[in-house]
Amino acid sequence: MTTNPPRRALITGASSGIGEAFARELASHGIALVLTARRTDRLEQLAAELRSRHGVEATVAPLDLARPDAVEALVAALDNQHLPIDILINNAGYGVPGYFDESPWQTHADFIQVLMTAPTELSHRLLPGMKARGYGRIVNVASLAGHIPGSAGHTLYGASKAYLIRFSQSLALETLGTGVNVTALCPGFTYSEFHDVSGSRQLVSQMPKFMWMDAPTVVRQGWQAVEAGKAVYVNGRVNGLIKSLFKLMPDALALRLVEKQGRKFRMGGH
């Protein structure tokens, strides 16, 4: 009797935070993993732990998604190693602090490549195989920031997350009936290294504790959402309420509120 091979997931930004939590969650379900990020040592340590704890196959693929050829090279390597991807977690991301014109263009170009172009290209290259096999899951880790007006500073962050939300909605409709589910996961403030990397740790630490969620909870909810076929999922009641309130507000009022709060905090973000 033959047995079907385990599902395999590709997780970007897997070395910490929500990406690492996704690796742990999926490994607990017996799903094979391909882990990619820039920090090879962190990836190898995580892969070894998950192999030992769950007995899953875990492949490490160190990669800088800011390189324009990174996705093409990664997918070619997966094809050469006969590692079909059934589950794509587009999680890699970071923030660029400061006002738009204070950073060189290359900094913004790299940001757009990592947070918008790479997840779009990965989805485009991996989706045909998912459809052909009649099963696929794509989770685009967006943010509550994609549902509210943009704020001063971190200029492209909210815009990139709004893009991922709309992209996910369209792709979810296009894949109806194919066995492929697509979800934009929209956490708010999540305990991770994100705010250390973006330089906003001191500011966001002033936020009340009820605004925060832990990465494993965000991931469990996200996995349940994509399995249920939800095109967009906002984590937590507080974040859901914030999204609803901003949706009901007149645009001018919402923008003024974000401008006032943005002096102290960058709203949303994982």
Side-chain angles (χ1 to χ4, degrees), residues 40-103:
T40 305
D41 56 336
R42 295 282 291 268
L43 290 177
E44 290 179 342
Q45 182 180 358
L46 177 60
E49 177 190 338
L50 297 179
R51 291 187 201 108
S52 175
R53 176 174 297 181
H54 300 289
V56 298
E57 175 188 323
T59 302
V60 170
L63 192 68
D64 183 359
L65 287 174
R67 287 173 33 207
D69 64 342
V71 170
E72 183 178 9
L74 174 60
V75 173
L78 294 173
D79 289 342
N80 290 336
Q81 298 174 57
H82 304 290
L83 298 175
I85 300 300
D86 306 294
I87 299 162
L88 172 61
I89 309 296
N90 281 313
N91 166 74
Y94 58 96
V96 176
Y99 280 24
F100 184 65
D101 59 349
E102 293 175 349
S103 297

Side-chain angles (χ1 to χ4, degrees), residues 25 29 35 68 76 87 92 100 106 115 129 140 171 178 183 187 191 216-217 227 236-238 255 267-269:
E25 176 69 18
H29 294 285
L35 307 175
I87 299 162
F100 184 65
Q106 190 59 50
L115 276 86
N140 293 314
L171 203 56
T178 66
T183 296
Y191 291 113
T217 300
E227 285 287 86
R237 294 180 180 178
V238 172
L255 196 60
M267 298 186 68

Side-chain angles (χ1 to χ4, degrees), residues 71-147:
V71 170
E72 183 178 9
L74 174 60
V75 173
L78 294 173
D79 289 342
N80 290 336
Q81 298 174 57
H82 304 290
L83 298 175
I85 300 300
D86 306 294
I87 299 162
L88 172 61
I89 309 296
N90 281 313
N91 166 74
Y94 58 96
V96 176
Y99 280 24
F100 184 65
D101 59 349
E102 293 175 349
S103 297
W105 171 245
Q106 190 59 50
T107 297
H108 297 308
D110 290 348
F111 178 93
I112 292 169
Q113 176 67 34
V114 173
L115 276 86
M116 298 174 67
T117 304
T120 308
E121 185 178 356
L122 278 168
S123 300
H124 185 265
R125 291 184 179 276
L126 297 177
L127 180 59
M130 295 179 183
K131 292 171 71 173
R133 293 186 295 273
Y135 176 90
R137 300 290 184 265
I138 298 175
V139 177
N140 293 314
V141 179
S143 172
L144 175 63
H147 290 286

Side-chain angles (χ1 to χ4, degrees), residues 15-17 39 42 190-198 201:
S15 60
S16 65
R39 295 180 288 188
R42 295 282 291 268
T190 305
Y191 291 113
S192 71
E193 296 179 7
F194 177 91
H195 300 290
D196 298 309
V197 175
S198 66
R201 171 61 59 194

Side-chain angles (χ1 to χ4, degrees), residues 5-42:
R7 304 292 189 191
R8 180 176 288 104
L10 170 63
I11 304 173
T12 69
S15 60
S16 65
I18 290 176
E20 179 183 349
F22 258 113
R24 296 183 182 281
E25 176 69 18
L26 297 182
S28 73
H29 294 285
I31 295 171
L33 303 171
V34 177
L35 307 175
T36 185
R38 291 180 297 176
R39 295 180 288 188
T40 305
D41 56 336
R42 295 282 291 268

